[in-house]
Amino acid sequence: MVGSMAHDLRTPLMRLALLLQDAPDAIRHAGEAEIREIDQMAAGVLALVRDHSHTPKRQRLALRSLTETVVEEFADTGQDVSLLPGIDVEVEVDVPGIRRLLTNVIENAVVYGGEAHVELTATDEAAIVEVRDRGPGLAAGDLERVFEPFYRGEPSRNRKTGGIGLGLASARAIARAHGGDVTLANHSVGGLLALVTIPR
């Protein structure tokens, strides 16, 4: 139902955009900004519904190659994002889903911590992607709450300082659909550490 409502919002938003074309510039620009924000919220809800209900179609791949691609996309836009040297590990995953997961977790580190340093490790049971920033970290009570849909750890609620609060919820849904998880912890020397585990 929520997914259908989010999808159906697109039609009245398009009509509003057409109606605004003849409005004075100040009203048109403000209205278009509001429409973009609602459209982004609807897209986020649709993605979350998909990630909670989608049965992943899996294929085997080298996780390092996919992680490098995501990291390079951030670096190409001038973000301080890097992948540390290390191992590679093969996993059987839904490739678009894991790509969204990595993008969401890295983007969260960039938005709230200013940077993201990514490392790939593994155990006998799982591949582990560690994403570390050097931001302020989180209060202990927020380490789980930030995975709740629409909850944002940044208190101002300013869209310019963060998204709508669905990125980490979506990332965890994807990881758990694969039998893995996403967890957060404050690093011992500062910043936040996100651990993504994906069964091998």
Side-chain angles (χ1 to χ4, degrees):
M1 182 183 70
V2 172
S4 295
M5 289 171 63
H7 181 271
D8 290 347
L9 273 175
R10 299 286 176 81
T11 301
L13 287 175
M14 184 174 64
R15 289 199 299 263
L16 280 172
L18 292 172
L19 290 170
L20 281 169
Q21 286 182 351
D22 296 326
D25 285 351
I27 294 174
R28 188 179 75 252
H29 294 319
E32 287 172 346
E34 294 296 327
I35 288 170
R36 282 194 298 273
E37 184 174 323
I38 296 169
D39 190 55
Q40 288 171 357
M41 291 176 69
V45 169
L46 287 170
L48 182 66
V49 169
R50 177 191 59 225
D51 293 336
H52 270 283
S53 60
H54 174 65
T55 301
K57 181 179 179 182
R58 303 184 185 195
Q59 65 184 73
R60 197 140 194 90
L61 67 91
L63 185 57
R64 187 171 193 87
S65 176
L66 180 60
T67 306
E68 282 177 345
T69 299
V70 175
V71 166
E72 286 169 2
E73 287 172 354
F74 280 96
D76 287 345
T77 62
Q79 304 296 331
D80 185 4
V81 179
S82 62
L83 177 62
L84 301 178
I87 66 164
D88 197 359
V89 58
E90 285 199 347
V91 287
E92 192 170 309
V93 295
D94 170 42
V95 177
I98 295 299
R99 185 187 182 102
R100 283 196 309 279
L101 183 164
L102 293 172
T103 299
N104 288 351
V105 173
I106 292 171
E107 182 176 43
N108 192 73
V110 170
V111 169
Y112 296 107
E115 59 189 31
H117 302 288
V118 185
E119 185 173 11
L120 182 59
T121 62
T123 66
D124 290 340
E125 293 79 28
I128 302 167
V129 182
E130 299 183 10
V131 180
R132 184 183 170 204
D133 64 51
R134 288 186 169 81
L138 283 170
D142 283 342
L143 291 171
E144 275 298 311
R145 288 193 68 195
V146 292
F147 290 102
E148 297 173 8
F150 299 107
Y151 181 80
R152 295 174 67 230
E154 194 278 317
S156 75
R157 312 299 292 176
N158 185 340
R159 291 279 178 257
K160 293 180 180 179
T161 59
I164 61 173
L166 292 176
L168 288 178
S170 180
R172 176 171 271 184
I174 294 167
R176 288 184 171 177
H178 285 79
D181 207 351
V182 181
T183 59
L184 298 175
N186 288 308
H187 198 279
S188 59
V189 294
L192 197 65
L193 180 66
L195 292 177
V196 178
T197 57
I198 303 168
R200 298 181 72 172

